[in-house]
Amino acid sequence: SNFTYDNNHFVETEREVTLSGEAFFKVAKDPGHPFIIHAGKIDVRVLGTSFDVKSYPEDATTEATLIQGAIEVSFTDQPQKAVRLVPSEKLIVFNDDQQVLQNLSSLKPGTRKNYEISPVTVIPSDSTVVETSWVENKLAFRGETFADLAVQMERWYNVNINFSGSAAKQYRFTGIFTTESLDQALKALQITAPFRYRIEKNEVYISKP
């Protein structure tokens, strides 16, 4: 993750940072010095809390996940519009306008045109919260497509994952990786879905059997 901030402005008035990547925050309540995170299409105003913000420029969504306390999220293109989250809620904002149109028909009840609010995802076996599992050095996933999981694995293992065809991309997985190597992780996924893989340095090739 990359942070940028103005040191003088940070100390004297509002505490502001710009985030590219993902970060977990624990912020003390200080009404005199509001804490604001600029992340992609959203600005997160902190009201004393612990939460996660995920804002990778290449991703289709920007996410803010609240664990404790309260945060208020506004939209950079609609600064007057704000959404306040309650604990264990996640705000998902669609970054690409074309994807917003494609997702309109499949959004959950209560959603709006460019965002949706959903509960955090929990792995029942040990109550791990998927959205903040990386803070505990875990890569947790529940019902993720192989395509989406591959993006997380690329960041986790610092590799590029290439699919031959689209069939394997649609497989869905649930689980947690902690100390597993890349090879061990792929072998574990093979237990529940049929695919072949080949690792060549930093490149991984996935294909149907």
Side-chain angles (χ1 to χ4, degrees):
S1 297
N2 294 319
F3 285 103
T4 57
Y5 67 95
D6 181 331
N7 191 47
N8 292 327
H9 189 63
F10 191 87
V11 174
E12 293 173 3
T13 54
E14 293 182 331
R15 300 171 291 172
E16 296 189 51
V17 298
T18 299
L19 170 68
S20 177
E22 185 169 9
F24 183 79
F25 297 85
K26 281 191 175 181
V27 180
K29 195 169 185 178
D30 184 352
H33 300 85
F35 190 90
I36 298 171
I37 299 110
H38 304 288
K41 283 197 165 187
I42 62 174
D43 297 322
V44 181
R45 188 178 184 89
V46 182
L47 311 171
T49 187
S50 61
F51 61 100
D52 184 85
V53 178
K54 184 178 181 181
S55 176
Y56 291 97
E58 66 272 19
D59 282 4
T61 60
T62 300
E63 300 179 3
T65 302
L66 179 62
I67 303 302
Q68 292 180 325
I71 56 175
E72 189 174 86
V73 181
S74 59
F75 303 87
T76 53
D77 57 351
Q78 304 172 63
Q80 74 286 354
K81 184 177 181 179
V83 177
R84 185 173 288 210
L85 295 185
V86 300
S88 297
E89 274 189 342
K90 175 171 73 170
L91 175 74
I92 304 167
V93 178
F94 303 109
N95 296 332
D96 178 40
D97 292 336
Q98 190 59 40
Q99 184 179 1
V100 170
L101 294 175
Q102 291 172 357
N103 278 277
L104 279 178
S105 61
S106 61
L107 293 184
K108 299 169 187 172
T111 58
R112 303 295 181 267
K113 182 177 179 182
N114 62 329
Y115 73 89
E116 67 173 285
I117 295 175
S118 65
V120 300
T121 307
V122 178
I123 304 291
S125 57
D126 65 354
S127 301
T128 293
V129 175
V130 168
E131 289 81 3
T132 57
S133 61
W134 67 273
V135 180
E136 304 170 37
N137 291 316
K138 298 177 181 178
L139 175 58
F141 44 98
R142 185 174 188 186
E144 291 277 2
T145 64
F146 205 169
D148 289 340
L149 177 57
V151 174
Q152 298 175 59
M153 292 179 71
E154 285 180 329
R155 292 170 182 154
W156 193 257
Y157 293 107
N158 194 27
V159 295
N160 295 313
I161 297 179
N162 310 277
F163 287 90
S164 174
S166 59
K169 289 183 178 182
Q170 307 309 315
Y171 294 152
R172 290 188 176 272
F173 298 102
T174 294
I176 300 174
F177 294 143
T178 51
T179 60
E180 287 85 356
S181 67
L182 174 61
D183 188 57
Q184 290 171 329
L186 289 167
K187 278 188 170 64
L189 296 178
Q190 277 184 321
I191 294 172
T192 58
F195 66 90
R196 290 178 180 158
Y197 69 89
R198 189 173 81 256
I199 302 173
E200 295 181 5
K201 295 185 178 178
N202 280 14
E203 299 291 330
V204 180
Y205 299 93
I206 307 288
S207 61
K208 286 276 284 179

